Amino acid sequence: MKNLFLTFNLLFLLISCNKEITNSVFVKNSSELNDAIKNAKPGDDIVLKDGVWKDVEIEFSAKGTKDNLITLRAETPGKVFIEGVSNLSFGGEYLVVSGLHFRNGYSPTVNVIAFRTDKNNVANNCRVTNCVIVDFNKLERDNDDLWVQFYGRHNQLDHCYLAGKTNGGPTVRVDLKGIESIKNYHKITNNHFGPRPRKGGARGETIQLGSSFTSMSPSNTTIANNFFEECNGEVEIISSKTNFNEIKNNVFYKSEGSVVTRHGNYTMIDGNYFIGDGENENYGGIRIVNTGHWIVNNYFYKIIGENFRSPLAVMNGIPKSPLNRYNQVTDVVVAYNTYVDCKSPFQFGVGTNIAQSAVLPKSEIRSARPIRTTVANNVIYNSVEDKNVIVEHDKADGVLFKSNVINNNGADFKDSKRIKSANFDLNKISDNIMLPNISSVDVKPYNGFDFDLIKTDLAGNSREKNNAIGATVKADITNPNILDRSKYGATWFKVDAIVEGKTIKVSASDNLSEKINSANKGDIISLDAGKYIISKSLIIDKNITVQSASENKAEIVFEGAENTPAFSLNPYGILTLKNVKLSGNGKNQAFASLKEKMSNHFGLSVSDSEISNFNYVLKAYKQTFAETVTFKNTSISNCENGIELSEETNDRGDYNTEFLTIDNCTFNNVKQNVIDYYRGGYDESTIGGNLLVTNSTFTNCGAKEKNKMLLNHRGIVNVDINNNTFKNNKVQFVSILWGAKNNVESNNTLINSGKINTEENLVMKLMY
Amino acid sequence: MKNLFLTFNLLFLLISCNKEITNSVFVKNSSELNDAIKNAKPGDDIVLKDGVWKDVEIEFSAKGTKDNLITLRAETPGKVFIEGVSNLSFGGEYLVVSGLHFRNGYSPTVNVIAFRTDKNNVANNCRVTNCVIVDFNKLERDNDDLWVQFYGRHNQLDHCYLAGKTNGGPTVRVDLKGIESIKNYHKITNNHFGPRPRKGGARGETIQLGSSFTSMSPSNTTIANNFFEECNGEVEIISSKTNFNEIKNNVFYKSEGSVVTRHGNYTMIDGNYFIGDGENENYGGIRIVNTGHWIVNNYFYKIIGENFRSPLAVMNGIPKSPLNRYNQVTDVVVAYNTYVDCKSPFQFGVGTNIAQSAVLPKSEIRSARPIRTTVANNVIYNSVEDKNVIVEHDKADGVLFKSNVINNNGADFKDSKRIKSANFDLNKISDNIMLPNISSVDVKPYNGFDFDLIKTDLAGNSREKNNAIGATVKADITNPNILDRSKYGATWFKVDAIVEGKTIKVSASDNLSEKINSANKGDIISLDAGKYIISKSLIIDKNITVQSASENKAEIVFEGAENTPAFSLNPYGILTLKNVKLSGNGKNQAFASLKEKMSNHFGLSVSDSEISNFNYVLKAYKQTFAETVTFKNTSISNCENGIELSEETNDRGDYNTEFLTIDNCTFNNVKQNVIDYYRGGYDESTIGGNLLVTNSTFTNCGAKEKNKMLLNHRGIVNVDINNNTFKNNKVQFVSILWGAKNNVESNNTLINSGKINTEENLVMKLMY
């Protein structure tokens, strides 16, 4: 249920700001809208008629005043749908847009919402509120855009819901090129940043503040009171690249990334919640580069990410770094944070690559350790002993540790110079908030330089009297209900609940294609035993399961044309195929993405099935992406090519799937590209993809493989090949592992097959 | 005459700040002083007895309050002399030191005055006022120090006189390493920065704000209302290397350097006077690197420096520059400045070195032109037509020109898109201030972004109404008496007037050595004809002239030991030798500096003389420096070595003399190092030394020269060899010129001698 109070509050705000609404203009189409904008005067209230507005480019150029804003709003908040090839731009002052829902379309320009109309006309004191943008993606993944781009000064995005961006480019970005956009004091507040799927490579940030080229500029942007949920686009959720930004009181919930001070300096990261689950290692915390940041009053729960994704990752810099690389960390303060059940929360020298000097230019070697950095007054609690609380990838000898305390629930913590061991328990405030009860622990907070400016704690309580270490001065606070979605985003918008799918029984005499097309997302197509002869591709454009009704495998025989797939994986097409025999004519494909316009991700999970006689088992085309591709308990035989995910050859760090999992499968007589999974371009901070090959048997495969390698996974960062048998595969190598990254193998049996080698340092093309 | 009003004003300030002086403590020696400091309470007034305080290290650690300062002052301002190995450091708050005179000594540490006592104890709200530091130099030039170093916050140096620093290191420096020293709001105001001699290489700034390593930090230091007179230390007078500094209302008078935004961004350079003489090309203006600077309301008079030293030098940057090199210029505003009789005042792409790609690494190539930069509302007046008002070393295509006006007093100025030609005359306000009378010129000031923040003009008049282009809104202002020295520096201090020297007659029977020793600076030793046989070096430790009384040359025969000089050039030893025969025994030296402890510069000018039979004509040792070395109308013969100024081999950009001039001389049978003048280490922004060889004849020289080159001047930036005759010199090259720099030759006659070659790009060791 949405919070009515908020709605009233917002209305009140709008009314109270518009002291004198002089004119309400109701518009029904673009032409009326343009006229209304053209004639807008301070105090005007332009009301868009409810309904779908298709292919509209709204250029909101007008001049309101502080006391008499000009508003452009939906007749009913949430009932005005901006669709098709549409966008919105602001030029002027004191303008407000509210209540719009962008969906079923994309922008014709690089922004869905831009706070300028052109280079010479930026917006100031303008606001987007109570709006929604969902899946408003360009058709191709490499056609980058930015949904909301800030220019000018004092603009605001608040109480909006944004989710589902799959193409390249941060969801929200602040631009600082030009003096008209510095010291901007923009506000990004009270928004709900809903799921942003993994992008597969860089350029998937949820918020980016500036760029390295403006990293010397004062931005003074505030990101506060937002809810980030499953923001998994890439390794950086928020990438702060300018100076004096504030990131306060946000909730990062199950988001696969970190808040990163990538460029620029003096960021204040204060009073945020980072909530993980103790299982997913991709949920990160705060990663620090550069000078003068303050990380205070933050709460970390079950964040078990390592290295770049650790709760506190303090990087090594490059001495005298080029502008676009890594400056040394200096003058940073990490104080009054609480870490509960995190893994190795303090990591230093992250990103050190001194060992790779042989393959990297000198200007790439991160050897400059943090200096003049203080870690003080932090509290760590571990239900289960953490043996490596502090990880030093390189020495933390430039870091001053003061008044840090741990209850490690295990053997006494030995590193008492840096963290003092103590006994204390937790107060449960909510499922995810457990606050250390450290009142009994006699540790006086360290009073570092300017620490007196930290006036309140995570809960807003004063630190002036009765100060204490940790994120809160006391362990009994009112439950802040951080997961209550009604507190964030548009008042009128509710994320669709997941509907339980129904089962649709299909027999061999039915038109399988029609049955799939008419099914709803989440439905299960249950196939009676028998032979399903298919001549045209089955279109998968939603989440759907196709499985045999009984143990007896239904047989799908695909007689479609050369290089067309039995299952055509369209945008949103997530196929689960279970317990099915699937065969082709040797020239067509079992599964393939579209060749173009894959405006959203696909997915594939195959289990307990038999696949044979295809040219390709899976063919993923360029600019397509699946979060997961899984084959389990499945035999694949007599195919010209296997699983082909190697089209991202532009070497910009992109790849075609985040997770490729092969478990307990048999590959027989797959002639080439048995597994072909590629990532090109070296970018140390993007950490994918993931290849797991386990308990599988590969026999007589790779005969036609030109590069004489059975499993091709060049550039993939996480590779685990274990418990497999490789027999009679005429290749030189079964695999070449990238030793410097997370590539491992174990317990593999190699009979009359190539070798598995490890190459410590792979020579890669630098991305920048 | 000193300004009494100022004195009263200062006293009033001191009194009004010390609302309640509770305790006056009179101290007569270090031990009493230390006790007084130890026991100091807010409001205390510690008074140092008049006289010389030798070898004192004053650690002023105490805590005053805003309303009750603690002062440490001279009994009589200017009558307390701090001498010997002495210094002063502040630790604490609200402390004031006044009236001290540092002289005849040097600091045992890296600072004469430091605003901290050690790393952990910085000063805040402390002040040095009405003090003087003169010639307080370390004994060796390479033993760098900083006379005044700021740490902490809100400290102040005001109404002080500082002059004569000859060793390495900026005179005044603000340090920002550590959060306790950022946002410091230090004030450097109302000081008189007296002559700082040329240092010969880098590290001779008068004021340096931070370093590249803290170039991302906010400093907010103000340098205002100071008088910079003959600050010739190096190419940068003020080197701003941090952010948000203000350089306002200063006078730069005949100072061989520029105000440079070397690192860091957003400097405000507002309302300064840059006064040259139309002759010396080393007087510079403002040189711009990096982002966001505002150069407004400045007045430039007869500044004819070129390139790096031009009135406005906008540099090219290195794309994605390393931290310590050159960032691109972006978002800079140059507005409302006035240029009178300057040469090519607007220079862009300064420092471009694309042509040197062959000898420099890619990370050194300055190819990034300025972008998003505005040059507007400036006025240029030239009494004599300047054909190249705008010089584009690289294209200024990223610069917006608006409402700039010129009276070029010549053919109509053609570049009217960038600067509009107009007729207007000048109002003479004082000898150096001539203001354009542009009221008749119909050019409306361009109103750029944030231009409304430029509220006043150079004279402090409001720009809000009746605004006009140029540094002042009207041409008739009250004479600001910018050269009235009584307005700046310590109230009690007066620079010694130059006293006319007397002539001391000396005959061959006198003890020449004693006569020289007892002479005063500026005196002339007039030698009767005859032979002066000298067995020990004559000590030159002041400015002195030695000349023959009549046309008949006196003969000085030096019989001193091997490798000792006839004239020993000590610190301050500036020798003018005229019309003298000087001969040695073939193993000793005519002129030489000391081998060590050259705490101040020497100088040498020889004319109408004959020098023969020495091992060295001139031997300058390492860490010694002469501003000028000149030989005119002089014959040099039968010497093993000639003029040797090549000891600075550490390749840090240092050299032994700024100007070496050889005019109308004959060199005969000088076997090696005929001229040996070296500068090693490539630093593009330091622009010395200077070698002029004209109208001279070299015969039978260089026979033993190992490198087969007659004139060795590797690394010297300005070389001019013209109208000379080279005859029978057994060398391969007479000279190899550095084409990319300012090395030229003309009209030389080469007979049976080596060649003169030009090498465009010299391979040099990079200095950083």
Side-chain angles (χ1 to χ4, degrees), chain A residues 687-703:
Chain A
I687 308 164
N690 299 271
L691 172 63
L692 184 67
V693 182
T694 49
N695 309 311
S696 296
T697 304
F698 297 77
T699 315
N700 295 321
C701 288

Short mmCIF file of all heavy atoms in Angstrom, two decimals, chain A residues 687-703:
data_model
loop_
_atom_site.label_atom_id
_atom_site.label_comp_id
_atom_site.label_asym_id
_atom_site.label_seq_id
_atom_site.Cartn_x
_atom_site.Cartn_y
_atom_site.Cartn_z
N ILE A 687 33.88 -6.84 -13.18
CA ILE A 687 34.30 -8.13 -12.65
C ILE A 687 33.41 -9.25 -13.16
O ILE A 687 32.64 -9.83 -12.43
CB ILE A 687 34.30 -8.08 -11.11
CG1 ILE A 687 35.10 -6.85 -10.63
CG2 ILE A 687 34.90 -9.32 -10.53
CD1 ILE A 687 34.85 -6.49 -9.19
N GLY A 688 33.43 -9.53 -14.43
CA GLY A 688 32.62 -10.63 -14.97
C GLY A 688 33.31 -11.16 -16.18
O GLY A 688 34.39 -10.71 -16.53
N GLY A 689 32.67 -12.11 -16.87
CA GLY A 689 31.54 -12.90 -16.47
C GLY A 689 31.98 -14.08 -15.61
O GLY A 689 33.07 -14.09 -15.04
N ASN A 690 31.11 -15.07 -15.60
CA ASN A 690 31.30 -16.22 -14.72
C ASN A 690 31.03 -17.51 -15.48
O ASN A 690 29.92 -17.71 -15.99
CB ASN A 690 30.31 -16.12 -13.55
CG ASN A 690 30.53 -14.85 -12.73
OD1 ASN A 690 31.30 -14.85 -11.79
ND2 ASN A 690 29.84 -13.78 -13.10
N LEU A 691 32.00 -18.36 -15.55
CA LEU A 691 31.84 -19.65 -16.23
C LEU A 691 32.07 -20.77 -15.22
O LEU A 691 33.12 -20.85 -14.59
CB LEU A 691 32.85 -19.78 -17.38
CG LEU A 691 32.91 -21.16 -18.05
CD1 LEU A 691 31.59 -21.53 -18.71
CD2 LEU A 691 34.04 -21.20 -19.08
N LEU A 692 31.06 -21.64 -15.11
CA LEU A 692 31.20 -22.81 -14.23
C LEU A 692 30.96 -24.04 -15.09
O LEU A 692 29.89 -24.19 -15.69
CB LEU A 692 30.15 -22.71 -13.11
CG LEU A 692 30.18 -23.78 -12.03
CD1 LEU A 692 31.46 -23.68 -11.19
CD2 LEU A 692 28.97 -23.62 -11.11
N VAL A 693 31.95 -24.90 -15.17
CA VAL A 693 31.81 -26.16 -15.90
C VAL A 693 32.14 -27.28 -14.93
O VAL A 693 33.29 -27.43 -14.50
CB VAL A 693 32.75 -26.22 -17.13
CG1 VAL A 693 32.54 -27.53 -17.89
CG2 VAL A 693 32.53 -25.03 -18.05
N THR A 694 31.11 -28.06 -14.57
CA THR A 694 31.33 -29.08 -13.53
C THR A 694 30.66 -30.39 -13.89
O THR A 694 29.61 -30.43 -14.55
CB THR A 694 30.74 -28.62 -12.18
OG1 THR A 694 29.40 -28.16 -12.41
CG2 THR A 694 31.54 -27.50 -11.58
N ASN A 695 31.27 -31.47 -13.45
CA ASN A 695 30.67 -32.81 -13.50
C ASN A 695 30.21 -33.20 -14.91
O ASN A 695 29.25 -33.94 -15.07
CB ASN A 695 29.47 -32.90 -12.55
CG ASN A 695 29.81 -32.41 -11.15
OD1 ASN A 695 30.82 -32.82 -10.57
ND2 ASN A 695 29.00 -31.50 -10.63
N SER A 696 30.89 -32.71 -15.91
CA SER A 696 30.45 -32.94 -17.28
C SER A 696 31.49 -33.75 -18.04
O SER A 696 32.65 -33.87 -17.62
CB SER A 696 30.20 -31.60 -17.98
OG SER A 696 29.14 -30.92 -17.34
N THR A 697 31.03 -34.31 -19.13
CA THR A 697 31.92 -35.13 -19.96
C THR A 697 31.93 -34.58 -21.37
O THR A 697 30.86 -34.30 -21.94
CB THR A 697 31.43 -36.59 -19.98
OG1 THR A 697 31.34 -37.05 -18.63
CG2 THR A 697 32.37 -37.49 -20.76
N PHE A 698 33.10 -34.43 -21.91
CA PHE A 698 33.26 -33.94 -23.28
C PHE A 698 33.99 -35.02 -24.07
O PHE A 698 35.12 -35.37 -23.75
CB PHE A 698 34.08 -32.64 -23.31
CG PHE A 698 33.43 -31.49 -22.58
CD1 PHE A 698 33.45 -31.44 -21.19
CD2 PHE A 698 32.80 -30.48 -23.28
CE1 PHE A 698 32.85 -30.38 -20.52
CE2 PHE A 698 32.20 -29.42 -22.62
CZ PHE A 698 32.22 -29.37 -21.23
N THR A 699 33.32 -35.52 -25.08
CA THR A 699 33.92 -36.61 -25.85
C THR A 699 33.87 -36.29 -27.34
O THR A 699 32.85 -35.80 -27.84
CB THR A 699 33.12 -37.93 -25.60
OG1 THR A 699 32.86 -38.05 -24.21
CG2 THR A 699 33.89 -39.14 -26.09
N ASN A 700 34.99 -36.58 -28.01
CA ASN A 700 35.07 -36.35 -29.46
C ASN A 700 34.60 -34.95 -29.86
O ASN A 700 33.91 -34.77 -30.86
CB ASN A 700 34.22 -37.38 -30.23
CG ASN A 700 34.78 -38.78 -30.05
OD1 ASN A 700 35.99 -38.95 -30.05
ND2 ASN A 700 33.89 -39.75 -29.88
N CYS A 701 34.98 -33.99 -29.09
CA CYS A 701 34.57 -32.62 -29.40
C CYS A 701 35.75 -31.80 -29.90
O CYS A 701 36.91 -32.16 -29.72
CB CYS A 701 33.98 -31.93 -28.16
SG CYS A 701 32.34 -32.56 -27.73
N GLY A 702 35.45 -30.69 -30.53
CA GLY A 702 36.48 -29.72 -30.92
C GLY A 702 37.29 -30.10 -32.14
O GLY A 702 38.32 -29.48 -32.42
N ALA A 703 36.83 -31.04 -32.87
CA ALA A 703 37.61 -31.53 -34.02
C ALA A 703 37.89 -30.43 -35.03
O ALA A 703 38.94 -30.39 -35.66
CB ALA A 703 36.87 -32.70 -34.68
#
